[in-house]
Amino acid sequence: MENNIRIEKKYTIPMDIFIEGYKTYQKKYVYPKNYIFMGIFIVLAANFVYGAVKSPDNLIAYLLIMICLAMAFREWYNPRKVRQRVTEMVKEMGEPVYKITAGDDFIEFSTENAGYLEDGDNDFDKEELPEPTRFNADENLKIMEKQDYFLIIYGKSVFYIVPTGGMTDQEKEILRNFDKNAA
């Protein structure tokens, strides 16, 4: 075991905090790109509407208007559908117990006990829990604090939600200042 561990805490993620944390992640990394594409498709649709008004017999313009509007709708709808599917998947898992370990220059996440292993309706053994995931402090690691949780993001595609319920003020302060202290 390493001697520079500053936090070692087990936790579960309540569903309402998971949903809120996932929305926060999407607002930061998913929605901006989607809004740009929605804007592009709407501008293209407006351009094709202008073309259809100037030349009403141009059937391709009407088809392109419908395609652009459908693509804009898809950009709006897909993140919500993904969030719903991920939320359903997390609900099916039950309430796994996670563990966060933070040292001076790393954060590690592991699964201590997966809720879906306890019901006996599967083929998994406790030995098949995923290996711990470790992130060293660098520019790719970002920590966002919200009222009820920390959102720890590595890169743009990996994130962890750590509820603040049950954390001491000292533990919260360590996570708040992790990336500042590690540099």
Side-chain angles (χ1 to χ4, degrees):
M1 207 66 179
E2 300 187 31
N3 56 4
N4 65 347
I5 293 176
R6 301 179 72 198
I7 296 176
E8 192 166 45
K9 187 142 195 91
K10 293 181 182 181
Y11 63 95
T12 60
I13 305 172
M15 190 51 58
D16 59 330
I17 290 179
F18 176 81
I19 293 169
E20 190 177 327
Y22 195 75
K23 281 181 185 178
T24 302
Y25 168 76
Q26 283 186 317
K27 285 177 186 175
K28 178 133 178 96
Y29 291 104
V30 177
Y31 287 161
K33 174 190 75 80
N34 286 62
Y35 291 149
I36 289 170
F37 280 112
M38 281 173 38
I40 289 170
F41 288 128
I42 289 172
V43 167
L44 285 173
N47 184 37
F48 293 128
V49 166
Y50 176 75
V53 168
K54 286 191 88 160
S55 176
D57 57 340
N58 186 356
L59 296 178
I60 292 178
Y62 296 108
L63 176 66
L64 292 173
I65 291 168
M66 296 308 296
I67 289 173
C68 287
L69 292 176
M71 296 297 284
F73 176 77
R74 188 190 77 146
E75 290 296 323
W76 174 83
Y77 180 71
N78 274 352
R80 287 148 184 85
K81 184 172 86 175
V82 168
R83 184 175 60 237
Q84 180 183 13
R85 286 187 178 168
V86 169
T87 302
E88 287 173 8
M89 182 183 70
V90 170
K91 281 181 186 176
E92 288 177 11
M93 287 175 47
E95 287 203 17
V97 176
Y98 300 103
K99 179 176 152 187
I100 181 172
T101 305
D104 292 332
D105 59 352
F106 73 92
I107 291 183
E108 184 176 274
F109 294 94
S110 60
T111 304
E112 289 290 306
N113 175 12
Y116 60 87
L117 297 176
E118 296 173 358
D119 62 11
D121 293 339
N122 54 53
D123 298 327
F124 298 107
D125 293 331
K126 289 202 183 253
E127 290 81 36
E128 292 184 32
L129 290 174
E131 290 292 318
T133 304
R134 175 177 261 197
F135 302 109
N136 293 321
D138 63 18
E139 65 276 353
N140 290 324
L141 188 69
K142 306 220 179 333
I143 299 175
M144 296 173 61
E145 182 180 9
K146 297 296 180 178
Q147 182 176 351
D148 297 327
Y149 60 92
F150 284 96
L151 184 62
I152 300 172
I153 304 168
Y154 188 79
K156 292 185 179 183
S157 59
V158 177
F159 68 95
Y160 291 88
I161 300 166
V162 181
T164 56
M167 282 187 148
T168 65
D169 289 338
Q170 181 184 10
E171 290 169 331
K172 290 178 189 177
E173 195 62 32
I174 289 170
L175 284 178
R176 251 181 230 126
N177 296 317
F178 176 76
D179 49 352
K180 297 173 189 120
N181 294 338

